[in-house]
Amino acid sequence: MSVVERHPYVDNPGSPLPTLEGHISQGRLERVLRAGHFVVTSEIAPPDSADPDEVYHRAMLFDGVVDAINATDGSGANCHMSSMAVCALLTRVGYSPIMQISCRDKNRIAIQGDILGAAAIGICNVLALSGDDVSAGDHPQAKPVFDLDSVSLLSTIKTLRDKSHFLSGRKIDSPPAIFPGSTVNPFVPPVASRVLQLKKKIDAGAEFIQTQYCFDMPVLRDMMKRAVDMGLTERAFILPGVGTLASASTARWLKNNVPGVHIPEALIKRLEGTVNQKAEGQKICVELMQKIKEMEGVSGVHIMAYKQESSVADMVQESGVLNGREPWFPNQQ
Amino acid sequence: MYKARLFATRYSRLYERFYAFSEPIILNIMRIVSNISGGRLDGLMTRMEKASKGFLFDCKMCGNCVLSSTGMTCPMNCPKTIRNGPCGGVRENGQCEVKPEMVCVWVQAWEGAERMKNGNKINDLQFATDKSVQGSSAWLNILKQREVQAKEQLTVEKAS
Ligand code: SF4
């Protein structure tokens, strides 16, 4: 009898689910995706605190509206509680977290160790990222690592999981059953080659893709169309990213100061023309979700509502993208 | 040099042809010189490689050269040393997120690849560099690799 079977916590919601046929992981996210539902994911900014309750309070805001929760990894190169620790806390009560690994902070030795450890504590999903440069954050004095990049990280996960050995060739006794994902920014010029980069990530092993903020629907639609034509949407689940704009000036600030964020001028004008800009920003987010749901080839949507996490539930409900489905959450009746 | 690097991407097709033609010649010369000198001139040849590729491509001597697979743009100029870029942070105007004064290396790489005959090599997955050969000559490394492969081939043939 294994330790887990003998353990009194075996009925703990955090225990891994049985792996279904044809599935890679024991996680809920993969199950909902493969079942063909329109999936909603969102992210929590890890707290600047050592108090676990802060993590649970942030996660609870998403109860009943999201299928998985990303825990960012030093996003914007700012220091917070680690992604792995947030995910470990979330798995204890049964949430389905997505652990983010940014190549900025760790070399291949640390990363491989984290992947094994993550699988051991019940984390089923990992998002591979390059990460923002240290100069963007609050510790510009830090040494940037960038030993791997996101594609190399994806192939590393594949090696550990499918070949059951480390990059060095040394054997692993029990391989990590990780469901890996990565990101793509559909708006980087030349935009036509973005779908080729998407393909590269899928070739490297990405099973799901969460994109950068998508405010420009025609460009996204174009990439999705190409992805469908190339058969990529058959090979990976694509979740375009949406966000809320608190006001026209925030939108303009984001556009000018946060690299990689592309916001069409018309949208900023629309915000400027309204009295309650925050409400309008949320309305835009709802509309974006609805438009994305109608696109061919998408499997869901990823909501990044930094500092507006408490509005996520309302926005998802209003958009109707879940079709009345209520994603699992701890203590659900 | 930054300007020379931009030039290489703009004329990637020409560089590709020149490279394809000259690389075997360079490799042969290096092999012969290295053999005759018993490796004593390897350091000099490495410095020559550094000087020429440094001028033409801003080469960083990573020792794992992939220029012909990246639109004749050296990816080690990317501040995140990404080998399968770009990252998600490229600015709207195509400039680098970390160094706004420079065009994103990977925007250039994809543009350069579009002009090349074998530009689709940019779709190949590149694994992160082997940091233990940082600073060494990529050309000598190729020769060493070939030698190892030839030896392996020979043992396989002998065994069968
Ligand atoms: S913007 Fe381009 S050059 Fe700059 S870090 Fe990202 S991929 Fe590298």
Side-chain angles (χ1 to χ4, degrees):
Chain A
M1 208 191 274
S2 80
V3 183
V4 176
E5 276 165 328
R6 270 191 282 117
H7 205 276
Y9 290 144
V10 74
D11 286 331
N12 179 328
S15 306
L17 304 169
T19 315
L20 299 182
E21 177 143 353
H23 286 218
I24 294 169
S25 72
Q26 300 177 292
R28 206 168 270 117
L29 173 65
E30 184 181 3
R31 286 188 172 200
V32 189
L33 282 168
R34 291 208 196 275
H37 295 296
F38 188 83
V39 165
V40 178
T41 59
S42 191
E43 60 187 35
I44 50 177
D48 297 335
S49 160
D51 178 2
D53 280 345
E54 288 205 31
V55 173
Y56 292 124
H57 284 142
R58 287 170 199 219
M60 273 160 64
L61 295 173
F62 301 146
D63 279 358
V65 291
V66 313
D67 293 291
I69 303 173
N70 289 54
T72 55
D73 180 20
S75 73
N78 293 307
C79 199
H80 307 287
M81 186 190 285
S82 77
S83 178
M84 191 168 183
V86 171
C87 293
L89 290 169
L90 294 180
T91 54
R92 281 186 188 174
V93 291
Y95 282 111
S96 180
I98 300 175
M99 178 170 99
Q100 302 197 171
I101 300 181
S102 140
C103 297
R104 174 195 60 233
D105 301 327
K106 291 176 201 131
N107 67 11
R108 58 191 90 183
I109 301 176
I111 286 177
Q112 292 178 91
D114 276 0
I115 292 167
L116 286 190
I121 51 183
I123 298 168
C124 302
N125 319 298
V126 167
L127 190 78
L129 299 165
S130 305
D132 302 294
D133 188 66
V134 294
S135 56
D138 63 349
H139 290 71
Q141 308 83 356
K143 180 173 194 226
V145 180
F146 296 115
D147 183 25
L148 302 180
D149 59 23
S150 55
V151 168
S152 304
L153 172 49
L154 287 167
S155 4
T156 303
I157 296 176
K158 218 170 157 179
T159 304
L160 298 177
R161 187 192 64 203
D162 299 346
K163 300 204 179 127
S164 215
H165 64 70
F166 290 105
L167 292 174
S168 65
R170 197 154 46 80
K171 267 204 71 57
I172 293 171
D173 295 333
S174 182
I178 294 288
F179 187 61
S182 192
T183 58
V184 159
N185 185 349
F187 307 100
V188 169
V191 285
S193 41
R194 285 301 58 86
V195 73
L196 297 174
Q197 208 196 1
L198 174 69
K199 178 171 181 294
K200 253 179 125 166
K201 296 215 164 172
I202 296 173
D203 287 345
E207 298 284 338
F208 69 96
I209 299 284
Q210 295 174 313
T211 77
Q212 248 297 1
Y213 284 117
C214 296
F215 290 106
D216 193 336
M217 290 296 113
V219 176
L220 175 65
R221 201 168 286 125
D222 184 58
M223 189 188 82
M224 285 311 303
K225 194 177 171 307
R226 288 169 201 256
V228 170
D229 291 346
M230 286 170 68
L232 298 178
T233 52
E234 302 286 314
R235 296 174 55 204
F237 302 98
I238 301 181
L239 315 175
V242 293
T244 44
L245 300 166
S247 67
S249 56
T250 326
R252 213 170 285 282
W253 184 87
L254 274 171
K255 186 180 162 89
N256 296 333
N257 295 290
V258 181
V261 180
H262 173 85
I263 306 174
E265 199 50 43
L267 218 58
I268 302 181
K269 287 262 152 61
R270 176 173 157 189
L271 280 170
E272 265 166 359
T274 51
V275 187
N276 189 343
Q277 298 194 349
K278 195 168 169 191
E280 190 68 13
Q282 292 179 2
K283 204 167 146 219
I284 291 174
C285 184
V286 168
E287 287 170 16
L288 292 175
M289 282 194 256
Q290 290 165 336
K291 282 186 190 149
I292 286 170
K293 177 142 197 252
E294 296 309 316
M295 263 179 220
E296 197 188 341
V298 301
S299 301
V301 69
H302 176 59
I303 310 169
M304 291 167 277
Y306 181 61
K307 287 196 175 152
Q308 293 198 51
E309 287 89 348
S310 51
S311 333
V312 168
D314 286 344
M315 289 191 297
V316 174
Q317 296 300 6
E318 202 186 319
S319 73
V321 291
L322 285 173
N323 276 345
R325 185 173 66 84
E326 188 183 49
W328 186 96
F329 62 93
N331 305 320
Q332 185 186 32
Q333 291 308 311
Chain B
M1 212 173 84
Y2 182 54
K3 281 218 176 102
R5 163 149 65 96
L6 294 187
F7 188 83
T9 320
R10 195 162 327 126
Y11 296 96
S12 55
R13 179 77 191 256
L14 197 76
Y15 272 66
E16 178 188 30
R17 254 197 250 156
F18 178 71
Y19 221 64
F21 164 80
S22 59
E23 200 186 53
I25 302 173
I26 296 172
L27 283 176
N28 266 322
I29 295 175
M30 285 177 91
R31 186 169 50 86
I32 295 165
V33 173
S34 181
N35 282 346
I36 293 177
S37 70
R40 267 183 306 243
L41 292 179
D42 286 6
L44 179 71
M45 288 192 291
T46 305
R47 281 198 293 280
M48 281 163 66
E49 178 175 339
K50 188 173 179 179
S52 56
K53 275 161 77 178
F55 173 76
L56 290 172
F57 306 107
D58 262 345
C59 164
K60 297 286 181 273
M61 295 299 278
C62 69
N64 311 234
C65 191
V66 283
L67 272 173
S68 53
S69 303
T70 53
M72 303 312 286
T73 303
C74 169
M76 302 320 273
N77 287 295
C78 160
K80 302 182 188 172
T81 59
I82 294 177
R83 302 283 275 192
N84 304 274
C87 71
V90 187
R91 288 164 198 269
E92 262 186 309
N93 55 5
Q95 300 290 110
C96 168
E97 79 160 280
V98 185
K99 294 185 179 168
E101 67 280 4
M102 136 183 133
V103 186
C104 164
V105 170
W106 280 98
V107 166
Q108 267 192 294
W110 284 94
E111 280 172 8
E114 269 171 26
R115 286 185 210 107
M116 285 164 64
K117 191 160 159 256
N118 292 316
N120 55 4
K121 279 204 317 203
I122 198 169
N123 293 314
D124 298 347
L125 304 181
Q126 302 290 347
F127 196 77
T129 55
D130 173 355
K131 269 74 180 178
S132 67
V133 297
Q134 167 84 41
S136 65
S137 154
W139 282 325
L140 286 173
N141 290 342
I142 294 176
L143 290 174
K144 266 182 227 150
Q145 260 170 20
R146 283 191 192 161
E147 227 169 83
V148 172
Q149 275 164 4
K151 267 188 199 148
E152 276 170 6
Q153 182 81 24
L154 210 67
T155 36
V156 171
E157 274 167 22
K158 265 187 193 161
S160 65

